[in-house]
Amino acid sequence: MIIVTARLVFDNRRARDAAVAATVAIQQATRDDEPGSEMYCIGPDPAVPNEIQVYDLWTHADSLEAHFSHPNYAAMVDALRGGPGFVESINRLYVADDRGPVYGADGTARIDALR
């Protein structure tokens, strides 16, 4: 699995909210139209009024590589970075293996899966 995370900073809450609204259709199109997109979520940070949190989950590197040349990606970049108030993006790319659910059948966290 490939995980992409980002924190996008805007000048103010209004600019942030406009950017999120501009990405709703793009988020849905990415989920619907791009093979390998397991999750594609861009949303306002509930604790920081001028920031967006981004979370992508892709099945394999080829699917993410295809995304970077897809019109949905270009539209997302334009909507987020091209709009008013964009300040910066702090982003990371991770490769991970699936270790199963966070919680076991008894409801406790499966910390053993990390070892």
Side-chain angles (χ1 to χ4, degrees), residues 91-108:
N91 48 69
R92 302 299 301 168
L93 178 67
Y94 301 93
V95 177
D97 59 322
D98 185 346
R99 306 260 175 122
V102 174
Y103 301 101
D106 64 356
T108 60

Side-chain angles (χ1 to χ4, degrees), residues 27 30-40 56-59 63 67:
Q27 291 180 64
T30 300
R31 295 175 188 188
D32 293 345
D33 302 340
E34 296 188 51
S37 174
E38 295 290 314
M39 178 64 65
Y40 196 75
D56 299 13
L57 181 62
W58 297 87
T59 56
S63 61
H67 172 65

Side-chain angles (χ1 to χ4, degrees), residues 17-98:
D17 291 348
V20 170
T23 67
V24 173
I26 301 163
Q27 291 180 64
Q28 190 64 56
T30 300
R31 295 175 188 188
D32 293 345
D33 302 340
E34 296 188 51
S37 174
E38 295 290 314
M39 178 64 65
Y40 196 75
C41 185
I42 300 166
D45 186 319
V48 184
N50 65 322
E51 291 188 5
I52 289 174
Q53 297 293 319
V54 178
Y55 172 77
D56 299 13
L57 181 62
W58 297 87
T59 56
H60 46 78
D62 291 343
S63 61
L64 181 57
E65 183 178 15
H67 172 65
F68 288 143
S69 60
H70 195 282
N72 289 335
Y73 178 75
M76 182 272 304
V77 169
D78 186 53
L80 293 174
R81 294 183 179 203
F86 176 78
V87 175
E88 69 177 325
S89 173
I90 302 97
N91 48 69
R92 302 299 301 168
L93 178 67
Y94 301 93
V95 177
D97 59 322
D98 185 346

